[in-house]
Amino acid sequence: MSRAADRTPSPRADVCVVGAGPAGALAAHRLAGEGYDVVVLEAGERFDDEDRERRMERAIRPGHDPLSVWEMGGPRDEYASAGEWFYPLNRTRVKGVGGTTLHWQGMVMRLHESDFEPWPIDYADLRPYYAEAESALGVAGAADNPYAPPREEPFPMPGFEPSYSDSIFAEACERLGVTMHSVPSARNSEGYDDRSACVGYGTCQPVCPSGAKYSADHHVAKAESEGARVLDRAPVQRLAHHEDGERVTAAVYATPDGETYRQEAREFVLAAGGVEIPRLLLLSNSDQYPDGLANSSGAVGRYFMEHLFAGAGGTLDRATRQNHVGFMTSECHQFYDDPTQGTAGTAGGIPAWSRDEPTPDGIKLEFLNYAGPSPVETALSGDEWGDDLLETLREGYGNAIAMGGLVGQRPRKDNRIELDPSTTDDHGNPVPEIHWRVDARTEAGLRRANEIQRAVLDELGVDVAWTVGPEETGPAYHHMGTTRMGTDPDESVVNPRLRTHDLRNLSVASSSVFVTSGAMNPTLTIAALALKAADHVDERL
């Protein structure tokens, strides 16, 4: 049962934030802490912490639909996919207080300096915000990555120890000249911010029952302690603007009892993610903005970018003794800035890229803590019983090992979010329609990732059983680029201060402002941008 019973609008608000995920929670906390009256409107419900263990149990039951662990699905969450590649939008979305951090993996890397070259801001602009974001989320990490961008301050917590399978990888990687290093993680390696250390349940995605992994509902609670008001199950239907077309006047939202209200404010911050933000702007069209609010450039919804997964794995003739702490404890950024390079290891190394096809972009490699297919699923899906089943389980679980990786897409105008008027949600609004395809350069990056992964696994002596690459891959569900940042109002949606070019009191705090995707998980950059956006709102107020 939701605790936010009163969903009538606040009579006075300085700031209205749309979305209670990591960006909205951090922005709301920052601004409420400065003494402003802040209202947060969240489309989903407020989940009870006491239910997390029950949700974890639901998640690990065979045949259970993981989407319903966080109450996704139905008319509220309808969408359409009309692109060359099908996009399974709902597979990892969560609508609720905390957003997708309720079930994310918790990997938090800074983008590299090279990633910012096309952006109107550079790494130095975000560097202090990165440090603040790491402190806010609670990041465990070690300064052992020779390819990471510069930093002055240590991580808030010490990093997690490498897994046993990481040590198995280590010798093969050393022979090949491949550098392994730790993974910064937004989960507690020790007690931090009134939350316990990770106890290794291994169900981080979709549920952390202990609270050791950061989720944005923590900062929602902090914002409320500073006086912010958070309304759950209050989906914003559209934004209304002043007759002069220069500022937003209200967020029009619905409530479960069928009422519709207007929340007025001096400033508005959109923090609902890279799909729902452009959708809301397109739904907010008017006579002055017939193509959607803040869309004089025509860029709203355009340049949708994703990260694609590449992976390979198999079995060894010995146990890999997995113990999950967030799926992985080691990675490799060696091929991030130059994936074409070869290595000069004593075993022959990784061959340099020599294929006659587009030069691949950066690759982030991951050493997965993967023990094999679930024994419960294997038992229930097989035809064996008794001792035969026991022997199959013993042979098929516990000696698996795998590598993964992310490859980013370049911004392409035809990858986009539009409205599908033929399908409507539970309030009669057109649903988001995703137009998405994977281009040849991204496919080349996936092939290069597979090539490196296969070389490491072969050196290790793995019986490779599966590969995920260009022909059979999918997104990492990192929605980026749909309200891109820039200095030219004809080519972008927001300026370097995260305010829309068209409306002087409307800001966007989201991965939707990304100009390029890189290959790093985006949440830490989202958090840094949210803090930056909040500071600029503070300056205007």
Side-chain angles (χ1 to χ4, degrees), residues 176 178 332 334-335 338-341 343 350-351 363 365 403 445-458:
L176 293 173
V178 174
C332 173
Q334 183 171 343
F335 302 92
D338 181 12
T340 67
Q341 64 173 297
T343 66
I350 306 294
I363 296 167
L365 297 173
M403 290 183 67
L446 293 166
R447 272 188 285 275
R448 178 56 169 167
N450 287 156
E451 185 176 60
I452 300 168
Q453 291 163 345
R454 186 62 185 252
V456 173
L457 295 174
D458 286 348

Side-chain angles (χ1 to χ4, degrees), residues 248-269:
V248 174
T249 54
V252 180
Y253 65 96
T255 58
D257 58 7
E259 295 295 327
T260 300
Y261 296 103
R262 292 168 55 92
Q263 178 60 63
E264 299 181 353
R266 296 162 62 195
E267 290 277 342
F268 292 81
V269 178

Side-chain angles (χ1 to χ4, degrees), residues 233-405:
R233 294 193 292 167
V236 177
Q237 309 296 295
R238 59 185 175 85
L239 299 174
H241 63 78
H242 190 267
E243 60 184 11
D244 63 12
E246 294 183 0
R247 57 187 175 89
V248 174
T249 54
V252 180
Y253 65 96
T255 58
D257 58 7
E259 295 295 327
T260 300
Y261 296 103
R262 292 168 55 92
Q263 178 60 63
E264 299 181 353
R266 296 162 62 195
E267 290 277 342
F268 292 81
V269 178
L270 302 185
V275 172
E276 293 297 339
I277 288 174
R279 180 195 181 205
L280 176 59
L281 292 173
L282 294 173
L283 287 172
S284 302
N285 64 332
S286 65
D287 290 342
Q288 287 174 275
Y289 294 102
D291 298 321
L293 197 64
N295 194 27
S296 62
S297 64
V300 168
R302 297 281 180 174
Y303 305 103
F304 176 64
M305 296 176 288
E306 254 289 1
H307 293 141
L308 281 297
F309 177 78
T315 55
L316 281 170
D317 58 2
R318 59 191 186 278
T320 54
R321 290 166 39 189
Q322 301 295 354
N323 182 23
H324 284 179
V325 179
F327 301 102
M328 64 198 68
T329 44
S330 292
E331 61 180 352
C332 173
H333 294 180
Q334 183 171 343
F335 302 92
Y336 189 89
D337 288 325
D338 181 12
T340 67
Q341 64 173 297
T343 66
T346 57
I350 306 294
W353 179 261
S354 59
R355 300 182 184 221
D356 186 20
E357 57 181 308
T359 302
D361 287 331
I363 296 167
K364 177 169 72 73
L365 297 173
E366 303 161 345
F367 300 89
L368 305 179
N369 296 342
Y370 173 67
S374 164
V376 178
E377 289 185 17
T378 301
L380 292 178
S381 62
D383 297 324
E384 296 176 305
W385 299 89
D387 291 342
D388 290 339
L389 174 59
L390 182 60
E391 185 63 25
T392 296
L393 295 178
R394 284 172 171 166
E395 292 179 354
Y397 185 78
N399 65 339
I401 197 163
M403 290 183 67

Side-chain angles (χ1 to χ4, degrees), residues 13-14 25 30 42 55 80 85 142 144 147 180 188 202 250 255 305-306 322 342 344 406 428 431 463 490 497 537:
D14 296 309
R30 181 82 138 213
E42 165 57 47
R55 292 183 190 278
W85 285 47
D144 63 342
Y147 306 101
M180 295 176 66
N188 293 352
T255 58
M305 296 176 288
E306 254 289 1
Q322 301 295 354
L406 292 183
V431 302
D463 181 9
D490 293 331
R497 299 166 75 82
V537 170

Side-chain angles (χ1 to χ4, degrees), residues 270 273-275 277-278 302-303 305 479-485 508-515 526:
L270 302 185
V275 172
I277 288 174
R302 297 281 180 174
Y303 305 103
M305 296 176 288
H479 309 143
M480 300 168 282
T482 52
T483 60
R484 66 192 331 232
M485 185 195 310
V508 179
S510 170
S511 55
S512 65
V513 307
F514 283 24
V515 181
I526 294 171

Side-chain angles (χ1 to χ4, degrees), residues 31 39 53 74 112 128 159 162 266 317 330 339 342 354 357 407 435 464 528:
L31 292 164
V39 176
E53 187 172 340
H112 282 205
R266 296 162 62 195
D317 58 2
S330 292
S354 59
E357 57 181 308
V407 175
H435 295 257
V464 177

